[in-house]
Amino acid sequence: IQEPQLQGQDTGMQCEDDRTGIGVETLKRAFLDNLFYVQGKFPALATKHDYYMALAYTVRDRLLQRWVNTAAIYTQEGSRTVAYLSAEFLMGPHLGNNLINLGIYNQVQQAMTELKLDLKELLAKEEEPGLGNGGLGRLAACYLDSLASLEIPTLGYGIRYEFGIFDQLIRNGWQVEKTDKWLRYGNPWEIARPEWAVSVKFGGRTEAHKNAQGRYRVRWIPHKVVLGIPYDTPILGYKVNTANTLRLWKAEAPESFDFEAFNRGNYYGAVDQKVTSENLTKVLYPNDETYEGKQLRLEQQYFFVSCALQDMLRIMLRQKLPLEQFHEKFAVQLNDTHPAIAVAELMRLLLDEHEMDWEPAWEITQKTFGYTNHTLLPEALEKWSLKLFSSLLPRHLEIIYEINWRFLEQVRHKFGTDEGRIGRLSLIDENDGKFVRMAHLACVGSHKINGVAALHSELLQKTTLLDFYEFFPEKFTNITNGVTPRRWIVLSNPKLTNLITSCIGDNWIKHLEDVQRIETYAEDPGFQQEWQQIKRENKVNVAEILLDRTGVKVDPDSLFDIQVKRIHQYKRQHLNILHAITLYNQIKQNPNLDITPRTLIFAGKAAPGYYIAKLIIKLINSVAEVVNKDRDIGDRLKVVFLPDYNVKNSQPIYPAADLSEQISTAGKEASGTGNMKFAMNGALTIGTLDGANIEIRNAVGAENFFLFGLTTEDVGALRLTGYRPREYYEQNPQLKQAIDQIASGYFSHGDRSLFKPLVDLLLDKDPFMLMADYQPYIDCQQQVSQTYRDRDRWLQMSILNTARMGKFSSDRAIREYCQQIWKVQPVPVQLAAEKTGDG
Ligand code: 475
C-alpha cells in the first residue's frame, strides 16, 4: 500500500542488511534465515505457524532498529514523556499493523507470494493479545498508535495478563467461555526486561521512626512482597521512526523475600507462595463497565501502578533529574479509576521513600496526573471497603485520610459547613458501610478531568461529578474519543484505502481531515460505482466468514445491518432484535411483501456473570434459528450471531456494513468508538442522541444520519413523571405481538420460562426504555429501508459519511490531550543512517 521509505533499494550492487533492509529479496532472505535460526525449521517441515513466527521476527528486527534509536534520543534529550496508565490495552494483532506503519505491506506480500505463501493466511495465525474488555482498552491501543505517529515520547503501562478476555463459544445458542491461552505458542513481539524488576509490597502495618535528621517518618512493614517483571512491546508510529514502549508487568515471587528463613524445611510452602504471587497477573477481570469489589482486582491495580511509578522514578534517577521535577518529566494519565491508587502511591513514594515534605509532594502529585472518566453508569464507579483497603494498603489509607482531611478543609473554606456537600465530596463513602471512592481520589489528585464526548463531559459536570465541578470548574474539560485510521481503515479496508488514495493521494492517512477532499466525488457516477463495488466485495468477504463460522448463508446484496459491541442492556441489542421480530411478522402476515432484504449481524461478549446479557445472546440466536429456516422468509431477512468478537474478528466487519446500529438509551453511552469505525468505512448510522453519535451527526450532516428516540432530557422527564412500559406494549399491536411471541415460547420450542426474566423486566421496569423507543426505532428503520432502495442517494450519503469523519481520528484526540492536558511536544527520531546521509 505504501512506498518503501527508509532504506535504499535492493540493487544487488549494495547489499541490504538482513535485519533492516526492506527490499523484496532481502525480506525473503531474512525470513528464511529467521525460519531456520529462530524456529529451527526448514520449509519442508515448517507449519503455517512457523512461517508466521519467522515473518513476525523479520518485522520485529526492523522495529528494533527504530526502537533502540528512539530510546537513545529520549535518553539523550531527557524528553518530557507521557505515561498512559491503563489496566487494559486491547491491542489486536501486531503483524499487519506493523507492516502498515513500517510502510512495507506490499513488499512483504510480494516476498511471501514469491515464496509460495499467502500473507493473509500468516496474518490469521497471530493470537491477539486480548488484554482488555472493550471500548476503554481499545481506546488505549488507538491512543498508543497516535502517540507514536505524532512522535510523542510515551510509555504505556499495564498488566501482562497470562489469560486475556475469554474466548466465546456459542453452544445451543448460549455463550460458553473458554480461557484465552494467548501465550501458548510464545509472543514474538515482547522482550522481558528482568533487570528492571521492582518489588511491590502488600498488607502488614505501618510504624513511625526517626530518620537521620531526627524527623519522624512512616515506615511500611508489609506482609508480603511481589516482584514485578516488565515485558516491553515496541509501538511503531505510522511512517515515522518513533517506536514507543508498551511496558506490561508480570507478577513473580521474589526469591529473596527471606525464603530460607521463612520457609526452612517448608518447600511446599515456598512453592505455594510462588503460585499465590503469580496468580496476581493470571487473568483479566471480564466485567465491562462494572466493578467487582474483589481483593485480587485491587491487588492487580496497585501492583501495576506501583511498578509503573517506581519505573518512572528509576528513569529519573538514571537521567540524574531531581525528584522535584517529576511532573516536568512525566505527564501521567489515569485511564478511568482503575489506576487511581497512583495518587496515593506517588505520595507514599515521595514522602516515605524519598523523604519529601507533604506540601511539595502534593503539588507534584496534582501536577502529574490527569484523569479520564469513561462511564456514568453507577455500577462502574469503583469503591473499595475500608476493611479490604486497610488490610491490603494500610499506608495508602493513612495517606488518603490525610488528603481527604486537607481537601475537606478547603471545601469548608470555600462553601462553609455544608455537611451534605462535604459528605458528597468526601473520599470516604459513609452511606452504607465505609468505602474509599476511587473517582474522588482521582479528581482531587489530578489537575485535569475529562469526559470522552461532548454530551458525556456535560453530564459529568451536571450529575456524577457536579460537586467537584462546583469546587474546581477549571479542572474539567472534554476530549472526544477518536480511533486510528491506520488499523481501522488502511489495514481493515485496503480496497477503500486504494480508491481514496488514487483520488487524493495518501496524506489523509496521517491527516484524516484531508479525507474531506473526496466530497467532490460524492455524486460522480464512476466513483460511486467503484465505491459500491468495494462495499460489495467487503460484504462477500463477510458472507464467507459467516458461512464458515455459523453455517448461515447470507445474500451480499441485502442490506448489512450490524451491531457489534459488548452485550449490555443499555446498548439495547434486544431493541434491535425486536425490530428483527417485527420484520419477520410483517413478512409472515404478507408473504408477498416487497421489503428491502436485510441481514442482521450481531457479535459481542457478555460478562460471564451478567445473566440478562447472556439471555439476550440466547434470544438473538433463538430468533435467528426461527427466522433463518423459515421458507416464507427466504433471503428477505437473515439474523446471524458471529461468535467470539475480538479485534481480529472485527476488522472485516466495519468495511462490510451498510448500517451501523448505535442505539443506546440517551445519556448512557459515554462516547462509543465502534460508531466511528463504521462511519469512516462508509456505513450509515441509525442512532440515538447519545455519546459521540451527536458529534458524528453534526459532522456528517443530519440528512446523512438516521436519528430516532428519546433525548437525555426526555429520558429524565419520563422517569420523573412515572414511566409505565406496559402501556406502550398494550397500545402497540406490533410490539405486543413481538413480546408475546418471546413470552409464549415461539422462539424457544414452546418453552415459556426461558425468556420470562427478560420479558418481565421489559414490561415492569424497562430501565433502558425500549418500550418508549420501540415505535420511533421501527419507523426510522422503515426510512432506512426506503433510502437503501435509492442506490445513488445511499451511495452519496455513504461517501459523505467517510469524507466528513476526519475529526474522529485518534490523532486529533491525542493532539488535544497533548495541548490541553499533557503540555508535551513531538520529539522526532532520525535513524543513524539518515543523520549521516551515507546510508
Ligand atoms: C464507554 N469499562 C464507551 C469507551 O472511552 C467509550 C469500567 C469499569 C470497570 C470495567 N470496565 C470499564 C468502561 O467503562 C468502558 O469501557 N467504557 C467505554 O469507554 C472509551 O467509547 O462509550 O462505554
Side-chain angles (χ1 to χ4, degrees):
I1 297 164
Q2 290 91 35
E3 299 289 309
Q5 94 293 3
L6 292 168
Q7 292 274 328
Q9 321 76 22
D10 205 22
T11 57
M13 306 267 289
Q14 164 202 0
C15 187
E16 285 187 318
D17 182 329
D18 263 15
R19 302 271 187 179
T20 58
I22 56 175
V24 173
E25 287 307 317
T26 311
L27 288 166
K28 279 160 62 179
R29 199 171 56 240
F31 170 78
L32 293 173
D33 189 72
N34 278 325
L35 184 68
F36 190 96
Y37 284 102
V38 182
Q39 290 305 103
K41 288 277 182 82
F42 52 89
L45 279 192
T47 63
K48 286 266 158 59
H49 186 261
D50 290 321
Y51 285 125
Y52 158 73
M53 292 294 269
L55 183 55
Y57 280 108
T58 306
V59 170
R60 197 185 88 170
D61 288 339
R62 279 133 191 89
L63 294 180
L64 280 171
Q65 180 196 21
R66 290 158 180 81
W67 203 15
V68 169
N69 272 279
T70 303
I73 285 168
Y74 292 170
T75 309
Q76 189 185 312
E77 310 209 341
S79 314
R80 177 163 168 77
T81 300
V82 173
Y84 199 86
L85 265 56
S86 180
E88 305 187 4
F89 285 94
L90 194 43
M91 299 301 290
H94 291 292
L95 177 56
N97 197 246
N98 282 326
L99 293 177
I100 297 292
N101 284 9
L102 277 167
I104 61 169
Y105 196 98
N106 287 346
Q107 293 95 298
V108 167
Q109 187 158 45
Q110 191 186 332
M112 293 302 107
T113 309
E114 290 179 14
L115 293 170
K116 307 249 173 327
L117 293 168
D118 180 355
L119 176 57
K120 271 221 178 95
E121 279 183 17
L122 303 192
L123 289 170
K125 282 284 152 196
E126 183 167 349
E127 283 268 5
E128 77 172 72
L131 310 186
N133 274 288
L136 170 149
R138 183 54 231 176
L139 188 79
C142 284
Y143 282 180
L144 291 187
D145 180 84
S146 286
L147 281 156
S149 297
L150 295 172
E151 306 178 298
I152 304 295
T154 303
L155 277 159
Y157 282 112
I159 301 173
R160 184 177 176 275
Y161 301 104
E162 186 178 336
F163 304 121
I165 187 69
F166 62 86
D167 294 335
Q168 181 192 55
L169 305 175
I170 300 297
R171 290 276 169 271
N172 186 28
W174 293 97
Q175 167 175 297
V176 173
E177 300 92 19
K178 218 173 103 252
T179 44
D180 160 46
K181 300 190 180 134
W182 72 288
L183 290 167
R184 191 167 22 180
Y185 303 113
N187 173 9
W189 303 103
E190 68 183 7
I191 295 183
R193 308 285 191 195
E195 67 276 23
W196 294 331
V198 299
S199 301
V200 180
K201 303 185 245 191
F202 289 95
R205 60 189 173 82
T206 65
E207 67 181 23
H209 70 105
K210 265 192 192 165
N211 70 1
Q213 289 76 43
R215 297 178 53 183
Y216 276 108
R217 313 294 317 185
V218 177
R219 181 155 58 206
W220 175 15
I221 296 122
H223 165 72
K224 76 170 176 189
V225 174
V226 175
L227 269 194
I229 315 287
Y231 285 71
D232 288 359
T233 300
I235 306 295
L236 180 71
Y238 176 70
K239 289 195 175 175
V240 291
N241 297 317
T242 299
N244 287 324
T245 297
L246 171 60
R247 182 161 290 167
L248 302 179
W249 299 86
K250 174 181 195 286
E252 286 189 5
E255 297 293 344
S256 61
F257 186 53
D258 212 8
F259 249 34
E260 282 102 325
F262 235 69
N263 298 306
R264 209 183 315 276
N266 187 1
Y267 176 74
Y268 279 97
V271 172
D272 191 51
Q273 173 161 351
K274 186 168 157 62
V275 169
T276 316
S277 297
E278 293 184 358
N279 273 343
L280 229 158
T281 52
K282 192 64 63 188
V283 58
L284 167 79
Y285 277 89
N287 312 313
D288 182 70
E289 316 209 26
T290 53
Y291 86 98
E292 257 186 83
K294 284 278 194 326
Q295 168 157 344
L296 188 62
R297 168 85 170 165
L298 180 57
E299 288 184 31
Q300 288 183 338
Q301 296 183 352
Y302 176 62
F303 168 74
F304 95 89
V305 160
S306 179
C307 289
L309 288 170
Q310 291 187 62
D311 195 55
M312 289 179 241
L313 289 171
R314 175 186 60 80
I315 291 170
M316 293 205 66
L317 295 178
R318 188 182 62 193
Q319 296 187 6
K320 302 201 169 33
L321 296 167
L323 295 188
E324 286 69 27
Q325 289 174 21
F326 191 88
H327 60 288
E328 289 162 26
K329 173 66 185 173
F330 289 108
V332 182
Q333 194 65 21
L334 305 174
N335 198 23
D336 215 287
T337 56
H338 317 151
I341 188 63
V343 171
E345 174 67 354
L346 181 57
M347 285 300 285
R348 185 189 70 82
L349 289 165
L350 296 177
L351 294 172
D352 298 357
E353 313 232 326
H354 298 278
E355 307 214 330
M356 210 180 268
D357 289 334
W358 184 279
E359 284 79 11
W362 183 240
E363 195 180 321
I364 290 167
T365 297
Q366 281 189 313
K367 285 180 173 169
T368 295
F369 292 109
Y371 159 49
T372 305
N373 174 289
H374 292 268
T375 177
L376 302 167
L377 299 184
E379 63 270 29
L381 299 179
E382 293 190 299
K383 51 180 197 176
W384 298 103
S385 80
L386 285 195
K387 185 164 172 285
L388 171 59
F389 206 97
S390 60
S391 74
L392 211 57
L393 302 170
R395 177 60 182 140
H396 298 77
L397 189 58
E398 293 172 1
I399 291 171
I400 286 170
Y401 282 147
E402 177 79 17
I403 294 171
N404 198 34
W405 184 83
R406 289 171 182 248
F407 169 59
L408 295 179
E409 272 306 291
Q410 291 180 335
V411 173
R412 286 192 187 93
H413 187 78
K414 179 155 179 173
F415 293 113
T417 9
D418 173 348
E419 286 309 319
R421 186 190 294 271
I422 285 166
R424 294 194 305 272
L425 281 166
S426 174
L427 305 196
I428 309 298
D429 180 350
E430 309 197 28
N431 291 326
D432 181 19
K434 289 197 180 184
F435 297 90
V436 181
R437 294 161 156 166
M438 298 311 273
H440 294 214
L441 180 61
C443 286
V444 175
S446 50
H447 66 287
K448 279 279 186 279
I449 302 162
N450 75 285
V452 291
L455 174 69
H456 170 62
S457 295
E458 182 191 322
L459 293 174
L460 265 184
Q461 294 171 22
K462 285 188 176 155
T463 63
T464 314
L465 299 180
L466 169 63
D467 291 300
F468 286 94
Y469 179 65
E470 287 178 352
F471 187 68
F472 23 57
E474 69 288 348
K475 280 196 190 184
F476 283 76
T477 186
N478 169 248
I479 298 188
T480 298
N481 283 167
V483 301
T484 171
R486 271 75 65 183
R487 183 177 292 273
W488 298 113
I489 306 178
V490 180
L491 181 60
S492 313
N493 201 344
K495 290 172 179 152
L496 196 72
T497 299
N498 286 335
L499 174 61
I500 295 171
T501 298
S502 72
C503 292
I504 62 169
D506 68 0
N507 199 40
W508 61 273
I509 299 170
K510 255 185 175 308
H511 298 278
L512 195 61
E513 295 80 4
D514 272 21
V515 80
Q516 212 192 22
R517 293 171 53 208
I518 65 167
E519 264 200 35
T520 47
Y521 303 90
E523 287 166 77
D524 176 318
F527 187 83
Q528 283 192 350
Q529 176 60 37
E530 289 188 68
W531 194 268
Q532 181 179 34
Q533 184 57 30
I534 288 165
K535 183 64 81 182
R536 180 144 202 299
E537 288 169 18
N538 291 336
K539 288 166 74 177
V540 168
N541 181 40
V542 163
E544 285 166 3
I545 293 171
L546 293 175
L547 183 60
D548 177 51
R549 314 256 168 99
T550 71
V552 180
K553 193 160 171 283
V554 305
D555 175 9
D557 289 315
S558 63
L559 190 165
F560 275 24
D561 173 347
I562 309 188
Q563 186 172 23
V564 289
K565 49 183 83 233
R566 285 297 286 253
I567 313 294
H568 251 289
Q569 291 182 80
Y570 85 80
K571 295 176 190 282
R572 301 200 293 191
Q573 282 91 354
H574 44 343
L575 178 59
N576 190 343
I577 212 71
L578 285 176
H579 175 236
I581 297 171
T582 304
L583 288 178
Y584 170 81
N585 288 333
Q586 286 170 358
I587 301 171
K588 291 297 273 187
Q589 271 142 36
N590 182 359
N592 296 319
L593 191 66
D594 177 26
I595 69 157
T596 305
R598 287 204 193 214
T599 300
L600 268 62
I601 301 170
F602 294 85
K605 292 172 184 173
Y610 189 171
Y611 175 68
I612 291 287
K614 290 180 135 178
L615 195 55
I616 291 173
I617 294 178
K618 175 65 175 168
L619 176 63
I620 295 168
N621 283 309
S622 302
V623 171
E625 192 188 320
V626 170
V627 168
N628 296 346
K629 71 168 185 228
D630 192 317
R631 305 288 292 271
D632 298 347
I633 302 296
D635 266 353
R636 283 176 292 182
L637 179 64
K638 286 277 182 283
V639 178
V640 200
F641 188 95
L642 176 67
D644 201 31
Y645 185 67
N646 57 20
V647 174
K648 191 203 252 183
N649 290 331
S650 80
Q651 283 176 191
I653 299 288
Y654 298 106
D658 294 306
L659 187 66
S660 153
E661 297 273 352
Q662 306 301 335
I663 59 178
S664 51
T665 315
K668 297 295 178 190
E669 188 70 272
S671 163
T673 43
N675 47 3
M676 301 169 188
K677 298 168 197 167
F678 277 114
M680 281 180 189
N681 283 284
L684 306 192
T685 305
I686 183 165
T688 49
L689 284 177
D690 200 14
N693 295 353
I694 298 171
E695 291 158 81
I696 293 174
R697 178 168 172 267
N698 290 340
V700 304
E703 67 285 7
N704 301 308
F705 187 106
F706 297 100
L707 177 70
F708 77 96
L710 301 170
T711 64
T712 306
E713 292 74 43
D714 295 338
V715 168
L718 191 52
R719 190 144 290 134
L720 273 180
T721 56
Y723 176 52
R724 285 174 297 277
R726 198 177 286 273
E727 287 178 3
Y728 296 85
Y729 157 86
E730 275 157 1
Q731 287 158 22
N732 186 328
Q734 281 194 110
L735 174 58
K736 183 164 191 308
Q737 183 187 10
I739 297 274
D740 288 347
Q741 283 169 319
I742 298 172
S744 72
Y746 188 91
F747 301 109
S748 45
H749 306 280
D751 183 345
R752 296 167 155 270
S753 63
L754 181 59
F755 296 118
K756 190 166 189 304
L758 191 55
V759 169
D760 288 349
L761 191 61
L762 288 178
L763 294 180
D764 295 334
K765 297 214 176 67
D766 191 18
F768 298 100
M769 296 191 166
L770 282 78
M771 299 297 106
D773 270 345
Y774 170 82
Q775 196 57 48
Y777 180 56
I778 299 297
D779 294 344
C780 191
Q781 288 283 21
Q782 181 58 36
Q783 283 284 314
V784 171
S785 288
Q786 280 305 322
T787 311
Y788 194 70
R789 292 170 164 241
D790 182 349
R791 170 188 172 275
D792 293 358
R793 170 80 187 114
W794 188 278
L795 282 168
Q796 184 208 9
M797 290 168 77
S798 167
I799 296 165
L800 289 178
N801 264 263
T802 300
R804 296 174 178 176
M805 284 297 289
K807 165 176 168 185
F808 301 95
S809 168
S810 44
D811 298 346
R812 184 273 311 151
I814 285 300
R815 281 199 192 89
E816 291 180 6
Y817 277 98
C818 289
Q819 285 161 16
Q820 292 186 43
I821 301 183
W822 300 330
K823 315 280 184 208
V824 52
Q825 303 289 330
V827 176
V829 176
Q830 291 187 347
L831 298 184
E834 294 175 323
K835 269 189 277 187
T836 56
D838 61 5

